[in-house]
Amino acid sequence: MLAACLEFLGLALCVTGSLLVMVACGLPMWKVTAFIDSNIVVAQTIWDGLWMSCVVQSTGQMQCKVHDSVLALTQDLQTARALTIISAVFGVVALTVTVAGAQCTNCIKDETVKARVVNAGGVIYIISGLFVLVPLCWMANNIIVDFHDPQVPPSKKREIGAAIYIGWAATALLLLGGTLLCCSFSQVVRGAYPIKYAPTKTITVNGEFDKKHYV
């Protein structure tokens, strides 16, 4: 029962984390315009994402433009594209593996094999979280360095956008959920040590208990 609860909780956290990775990958708010000038009245806000850049006017209108060339992108954007997609694919693979070995399914009959399959799914989820964590930290570091660089003009400075925070939350869910799935593989949780019962007393032909059970 404890193993089933850990599997359900871990799988729920991991699925939520994988969905958040996909959301962060598609959102254009990885880099947001930093308002550091003395004039707080601005006409537009610029969003930079992995796939497009958007300009939001003060009137509420938004115009987005897809990046024309992949090779023209900076190295951190190219890496973020690749690793977030790999992380999302790993999330789908891990979901398939975990469901196949879950206690609520009958895809695999052997309990030992089911436990190992769930453990493999948890490991894949952890790898998925690490894959998405690398571009998030790299992008955030570049934003902070450029923000404090005096040679970068104020109009080019950016702040950390909502997509990076969503990605960090997704990473935490994936790592926590994957750890719970790996813990459900434990023999103590799964109850691998069977309960040993004392042998029952046998009755002889004449209806009396066998004397060998008496001391």
Side-chain angles (χ1 to χ4, degrees):
M1 184 63 183
L2 180 58
C5 293
L6 287 178
E7 286 180 2
F8 178 78
L9 179 59
L11 185 60
L13 293 176
C14 289
V15 170
T16 305
S18 296
L19 293 177
L20 290 180
V21 168
M22 298 177 186
V23 171
C25 181
L27 284 178
M29 292 178 290
W30 283 66
K31 300 179 181 179
V32 183
T33 304
F35 302 112
I36 57 178
D37 292 334
S38 58
N39 185 13
I40 62 174
V41 179
V42 293
Q44 62 185 18
T45 303
I46 300 176
W47 296 346
D48 293 326
L50 302 182
W51 310 97
M52 64 183 68
S53 296
C54 297
V55 177
V56 182
Q57 305 292 336
S58 58
T59 57
Q61 297 180 348
M62 182 174 63
Q63 296 179 345
C64 296
K65 182 178 183 299
V66 180
H67 297 310
D68 295 329
S69 175
V70 177
L71 300 179
L73 297 176
T74 57
Q75 189 175 6
D76 56 350
L77 284 177
Q78 295 181 15
T79 305
R81 273 189 176 188
L83 293 182
T84 50
I85 291 177
I86 293 174
S87 176
V89 172
F90 272 22
V92 176
V93 174
L95 176 61
T96 305
V97 173
T98 305
V99 170
Q103 292 189 359
C104 58
T105 60
N106 295 323
C107 299
I108 301 174
K109 302 298 182 181
D110 191 352
E111 289 296 328
T112 303
V113 178
K114 287 169 71 72
R116 291 178 179 176
V117 170
V118 172
N119 181 63
V123 172
I124 297 175
Y125 271 124
I126 293 175
I127 296 175
S128 175
L130 295 177
F131 265 112
V132 74
L133 181 62
V134 172
L136 292 172
C137 295
W138 188 3
M139 190 83 68
N141 178 73
N142 290 344
I143 293 173
I144 295 173
V145 170
D146 291 341
F147 186 86
H148 295 287
D149 189 356
Q151 297 182 354
V152 178
S155 60
K156 297 294 184 180
K157 294 181 182 295
R158 296 291 185 266
E159 290 185 353
I160 299 175
I164 294 182
Y165 292 107
I166 293 175
W168 279 333
T171 301
L173 293 177
L174 287 172
L175 295 179
L176 179 58
T179 303
L180 290 178
L181 290 176
C182 292
C183 290
S184 66
F185 174 70
S186 173
Q187 292 181 344
V188 177
V189 175
R190 289 249 174 186
Y193 301 101
I195 301 175
K196 296 182 179 180
Y197 297 95
T200 57
K201 298 178 180 180
T202 57
I203 301 176
T204 59
V205 178
N206 55 6
E208 297 179 355
F209 288 105
D210 196 347
K211 293 181 180 181
K212 67 180 181 180
H213 295 294
Y214 296 93
V215 178

